[in-house]
Amino acid sequence: MNLRVWLLLLGAVAIMSFAAMVLVVVPAALLTEVKPSPGLEPYTASEASGRGVYIREGCMYCHSQQVRDTTITTDEARGWGRPSVPGDYVYDAPHQLGTMRTGPDLMNVGARLPDRRWQLLHLYQPRAVVPWSIMPSFPYLFEVKAQAGPDDEVVTVPPAWAPESGVVVAGPEAVALVDYLLSLDHTQPLAPTEATPRAR
Amino acid sequence: MFASSLAVVLLTLAALLGAIVAFAWAWRKGHFHVDARAATLPFDDHDQRVARPWETPSQARERVQAHGPPLPPGPGEWGGA
Amino acid sequence: MTPPESPPAGTAERSALDFAGREPALLCFVTAVFWLLVGSIFGDLASLKFQFPDWLADSGALTFGRLRTAHLNAMIYGWSSLAMLGVSCWLIPRLVRQPLAWPRLAVGGAMIWNIGLLSGVPGLLAGATDGLEWLELDWRFSDPWLVLGGAMVGGALLRTVLGSKVEHLYVSVWYTAAAFVWFPILFVIGNLRVYTGVESAAVNWFYGHNALGFWLTAINLGAIYYLLPKVLGRPIHSYQLSLVGFWAFAFFYSLNGMHHLVGGPIPTWMITTSIVASGMMVIPVGAVAVNHHMTMVGRFGALRYSPTLRFVVLGAISYTAVSLQGIFTAFVEVNRVTHFTQWTIAHSHVGVYAFVTLTLFGSIYYILPRLVEREWPSASLIRWHFWLSLGGIAAYVLALIVGGVLQGMALLDPARPFEESVTVTLPWLAVRTVAGLVLTAGHLVFAWHIALMLSRHLRRERRLPPWHEAQPRLYEESG
């Protein structure tokens, strides 16, 4: 009797090991050779901490970071950049590829929307710049001060959204998050061999 | 070369055929013909005999013939009030 | 029909088998319902954020990204997993005719699992996340508790199976016992912090898909394979087919994960493998569907008599539906429209709600009275719960399927501004919020009913006689 149970459990483990071999171990071995895409730099300290804020606030649940293959989607025609390749992600752990586009793809948001002031205001109150937006506002990443200090990044808020008195100043986390968003630029063209890495 | 849908569908059909052949072979060799009594493991005598009010007269007769005189169902016999 | 192989177990033996697993099962069910309510609140709040994006915006703990994460984890690791542990502690001893081994270990395991959630879920609201979908619970102060607690409950269950007294293993035991070796392997692989870049994405979806398959699906299929025949008093249509289904399920499901990354930046052969394996899922899904459906044929009248069967049959139908939808979604022609849209959310709720949660409701309606030896106080509360669940989930899924397809069509046409892909979903997201509130109302009814039943159980010392002898009635042949 117990032999049957052991056979069942062994078979179960064997099948799962096979799948893990095919989809985890072999790819891990193959993907060690991936080189960073041209122009891709490691994150600076501020960008890395901004990435932490991006992860913490769950931006991934509405924004993807992958431009899909042009043969099946129109991502590129929408102006979101060239299709993404493994080399674009070598400095990312954990990945933030995402599964949802309630908001637009952010793979190249730094190239598409490079204005810091726009980004800060958009985080403080998305509807101040994009009236139809349903993105959450993140006022808790900002401070309202009576007067801005010398090193403060002031956010120019339209009167409809501005606090009754004082100025809105970006907190350190908002600054880091914008640094991270502006670093998202994977628009440099790939060398011809790298352009089709998935043919390997 | 992103796997085009057609290639994937054809490959799937081929693999499907292979798997069906393999399963059919294993079935015919009797690898799945475990003792049919395993299928009745959830039941005890009470389960088999208790009368099901939704069964047709012929289904109920079958039950009586196979398992003996019917037992009355208790409260909550079928799960839930 | 063949006679039972071993001497028929009397009710005395049956309640003896239930007895050892009683405490862990009860603890699991009660805490599971607590997490069900908590997860419902998080889900409703997250959904309302689509209508009122500036509502409750001043606190990070209540931002959409964190509420959604807390909702998912409370529902998967709280409600579903704990309820499944409870079902397993009751089902395994009955099927191997052996009282639960090491019941105290199982009780401790369930407590430790809850400790992991009590630190992990509030942690998610506070911003402590591992940043990977389905793997968000913190790797320092939550995951280790889940591993330890799960190992303790799983250890007790596997020990019980190894001490089995019957000559054969019923198919439910195959699924359940295998799930308790599959899930720890998956959970550890998924939570290792060694992956970077696209490898991190591949492992993420290897875990995410298989957690649904080899944990949630496996145990709930096991429960359906038990409860359908048990209530109907009729063996499963084809026992052999159920075993074919089991091995095909294990082999093909485990290779499906990469279809979450169709068109994405991972090597094509991985995606192709997963799409092909997804197509192959028609074998196990077909096997299960034939078995479930053919067992029911000619006995649909039973649905009138058995609330358990109503929930479980709906769960079984949903399993077929969600699997076919999943296979369909894996193919590129469909995926290019539906990926990145609300379709995905609809799909996951057909799976985790219409299949898993309804099956667990049905199981609890069957099991709980047998654990506390007291009947459910109210038939109408069960009816309310059923119709709220059915109505809520039907509206939820239909709304998001329609909204998702509209969103996908808008996204795929570069001539239409992105704005349109947002605005077309708004009415459907509003329907979803209402549907979510309806589901929550159903959960409140369910929780209230359980509280009513348990408080009566605790208040009175006196035990009823074994449940089926309580009210002898004369048998009349109908018709």
Side-chain angles (χ1 to χ4, degrees):
Chain A
M1 175 61 240
N2 275 355
L3 182 70
R4 271 170 197 269
V5 181
W6 283 115
L7 277 178
L8 163 69
L9 298 183
L10 218 67
V13 172
I15 285 184
M16 188 54 74
S17 311
F18 173 73
M21 194 60 76
V22 173
L23 294 181
V24 177
V25 180
V26 171
L30 292 178
L31 290 166
T32 48
E33 301 161 19
V34 175
K35 300 271 180 301
S37 299
L40 190 72
E41 298 290 331
Y43 296 114
T44 65
S46 177
E47 287 162 7
S49 93
R51 191 168 197 273
V53 178
Y54 185 94
I55 291 170
R56 187 188 74 190
E57 306 303 350
C59 305
M60 166 191 54
Y61 301 107
C62 293
H63 295 282
S64 59
Q65 286 190 20
Q66 49 172 319
V67 180
R68 295 216 289 175
D69 196 294
T70 44
T71 57
I72 60 162
T73 73
T74 54
D75 289 2
E76 198 172 23
R78 201 169 265 290
W80 285 345
R82 61 159 172 78
S84 309
V85 295
D88 296 337
Y89 301 93
V90 285
Y91 302 118
D92 289 5
H95 81 94
Q96 294 289 294
L97 263 62
T99 49
M100 194 68 175
R101 283 179 181 165
T102 305
D105 186 83
L106 299 183
M107 193 64 187
N108 295 300
V109 68
R112 199 166 73 237
L113 295 161
D115 185 340
R116 277 190 84 80
R117 293 172 310 159
W118 188 94
Q119 292 287 356
L120 281 170
L121 175 56
H122 185 251
L123 287 174
Y124 178 73
Q125 177 46 270
R127 279 151 293 285
V129 277
V130 183
W132 47 266
S133 172
I134 53 171
M135 182 171 125
S137 48
F138 296 92
Y140 56 90
L141 300 179
F142 296 81
E143 292 170 53
V144 177
K145 287 187 175 177
Q147 208 144 35
D151 298 330
D152 284 340
E153 275 196 76
V154 177
V155 186
T156 325
V157 184
W161 304 97
E164 289 186 4
S165 65
V167 289
V168 177
V169 168
E173 291 185 333
V175 170
L177 181 53
V178 168
D179 284 345
Y180 170 64
L181 291 174
L182 294 183
S183 80
L184 291 174
D185 180 351
H186 306 85
T187 50
Q188 286 217 26
L190 301 169
T193 48
E194 285 170 303
T196 52
R198 285 181 255 114
R200 272 192 309 222
Chain B
M1 67 124 227
F2 185 80
S4 76
S5 279
L6 185 67
V8 170
V9 167
L10 289 179
L11 202 57
T12 306
L13 288 178
L16 194 69
L17 198 69
I20 289 175
V21 168
F23 275 122
W25 174 82
W27 186 286
R28 290 194 59 159
K29 292 283 276 185
H31 288 293
F32 289 104
H33 288 247
V34 292
D35 198 327
R37 281 178 299 175
T40 58
L41 273 177
F43 308 123
D44 54 32
D45 187 44
H46 171 81
D47 291 317
Q48 303 276 32
R49 285 173 59 190
V50 73
R52 265 79 175 166
W54 58 81
E55 288 188 340
T56 62
S58 73
Q59 286 170 346
R61 246 192 320 278
E62 248 174 65
R63 184 175 297 288
V64 173
Q65 275 161 14
H67 304 291
L71 295 172
E77 176 79 53
W78 326 115
Chain C
M1 230 182 284
T2 44
E5 57 161 329
S6 46
T11 39
E13 186 197 342
R14 193 154 49 176
S15 46
L17 290 178
D18 289 353
F19 189 75
R22 219 179 89 141
E23 283 181 14
L26 266 178
L27 175 65
C28 287
F29 287 144
V30 170
T31 51
V33 172
F34 166 75
W35 288 109
L36 176 69
L37 296 181
V38 170
S40 304
I41 294 168
F42 292 151
D44 291 336
L45 287 176
S47 186
L48 280 162
K49 293 274 184 167
F50 284 95
Q51 285 83 51
F52 308 103
D54 286 321
W55 180 55
L56 301 177
D58 288 328
S59 154
L62 297 175
T63 196
F64 172 80
R66 299 195 203 175
L67 283 172
R68 178 203 190 278
T69 309
H71 164 69
L72 183 139
N73 285 278
M75 289 309 200
I76 301 299
Y77 301 103
W79 154 245
S80 306
S81 295
L82 278 164
M84 281 153 47
L85 293 180
V87 169
S88 306
C89 285
W90 177 84
L91 190 55
I92 290 278
R94 278 203 165 198
L95 282 173
V96 301
R97 304 268 158 83
Q98 185 80 341
L100 183 69
W102 307 329
R104 302 217 155 248
L105 189 74
V107 170
M111 284 178 177
I112 287 177
W113 185 283
N114 271 292
I115 290 174
L117 293 171
L118 282 173
S119 63
V121 173
L124 292 172
L125 292 181
T129 169
D130 289 354
L132 294 165
E133 255 179 280
W134 284 68
L135 289 164
E136 289 100 341
L137 287 172
D138 193 274
W139 63 285
R140 293 154 300 182
F141 55 77
S142 183
D143 291 341
W145 295 110
L146 296 191
V147 171
L148 179 64
M152 287 164 74
V153 180
L157 284 166
L158 290 177
R159 178 75 194 84
T160 314
V161 175
L162 285 168
S164 171
K165 284 276 175 61
V166 285
E167 206 189 325
H168 297 285
L169 291 182
Y170 187 62
V171 59
S172 299
V173 182
W174 291 54
Y175 277 105
T176 311
F180 277 91
V181 298
W182 281 327
F183 189 58
I185 298 176
L186 287 168
F187 195 75
V188 170
I189 290 181
N191 274 299
L192 288 181
R193 300 171 62 78
V194 295
Y195 318 106
T196 60
V198 291
E199 173 71 356
S200 161
V203 176
N204 189 175
W205 289 112
F206 176 75
Y207 173 82
H209 195 82
N210 288 347
L212 185 66
F214 291 97
W215 180 236
L216 299 172
T217 301
I219 290 193
N220 282 287
L221 283 185
I224 295 175
Y225 266 125
Y226 179 81
L227 289 170
L228 272 188
K230 183 79 171 173
V231 172
L232 293 175
R234 174 181 207 215
I236 202 78
H237 174 69
S238 163
Y239 190 72
Q240 282 87 332
L241 196 59
S242 70
L243 298 187
V244 176
F246 174 82
W247 290 112
F249 166 86
F251 189 72
F252 296 126
Y253 211 123
S254 56
L255 292 169
N256 273 357
M258 300 309 121
H259 70 205
H260 291 255
L261 294 163
V262 172
I266 67 166
T268 309
W269 65 265
M270 295 173 74
I271 297 175
T272 309
T273 302
S274 281
I275 298 179
V276 171
S278 305
M280 303 297 287
M281 284 299 292
V282 296
I283 296 176
V285 169
V288 169
V290 165
N291 252 341
H292 288 168
H293 187 70
M294 294 305 285
T295 307
M296 272 308 287
V297 158
R299 271 131 175 115
F300 282 100
L303 295 175
R304 273 180 52 220
Y305 295 88
S306 169
T308 286
L309 211 57
R310 280 203 285 275
F311 281 100
V312 168
V313 166
L314 212 55
I317 292 172
S318 301
Y319 173 68
T320 308
V322 74
S323 304
L324 294 178
Q325 191 195 10
I327 294 169
F328 191 56
T329 308
F331 291 121
V332 171
E333 253 66 37
V334 180
N335 193 278
R336 62 201 288 270
V337 178
T338 60
H339 197 44
F340 298 127
T341 73
Q342 301 289 343
W343 169 284
T344 311
I345 309 296
H347 179 56
S348 62
H349 284 76
V350 182
V352 179
Y353 201 96
F355 162 43
V356 168
T357 296
L358 292 187
T359 302
L360 290 172
F361 286 153
S363 308
I364 291 177
Y365 278 125
Y366 193 86
I367 297 171
L368 212 50
R370 285 154 174 79
L371 290 182
V372 302
E373 295 173 317
R374 194 161 289 282
E375 254 323 304
W376 290 96
S378 159
S380 74
L381 284 180
I382 300 183
R383 261 198 304 279
W384 270 101
H385 179 206
F386 178 77
W387 289 109
L388 288 171
S389 297
L390 178 57
I393 193 61
Y396 188 113
V397 168
L398 288 177
L400 288 193
I401 281 182
V402 175
V405 170
L406 292 176
Q407 182 187 6
M409 307 280 264
L411 278 172
L412 211 53
D413 181 355
R416 295 167 72 181
F418 186 83
E419 174 183 356
E420 278 190 38
S421 77
V422 176
T423 47
V424 289
T425 59
L426 293 179
W428 306 103
L429 288 169
V431 173
R432 188 268 296 270
T433 296
V434 175
L437 291 169
V438 170
L439 292 177
T440 305
H443 301 162
L444 288 171
V445 171
F446 182 51
W448 167 247
H449 203 180
I450 289 182
L452 215 59
M453 179 174 177
L454 293 184
S455 70
R456 286 187 191 177
H457 169 67
L458 295 176
R459 266 208 309 273
R460 294 184 211 161
E461 280 296 299
R462 188 181 62 87
R463 288 238 176 104
L464 283 180
W467 46 272
H468 76 273
E469 292 165 6
Q471 233 180 27
R473 252 186 272 151
L474 281 181
Y475 169 70
E476 292 168 339
E477 197 177 38
S478 51

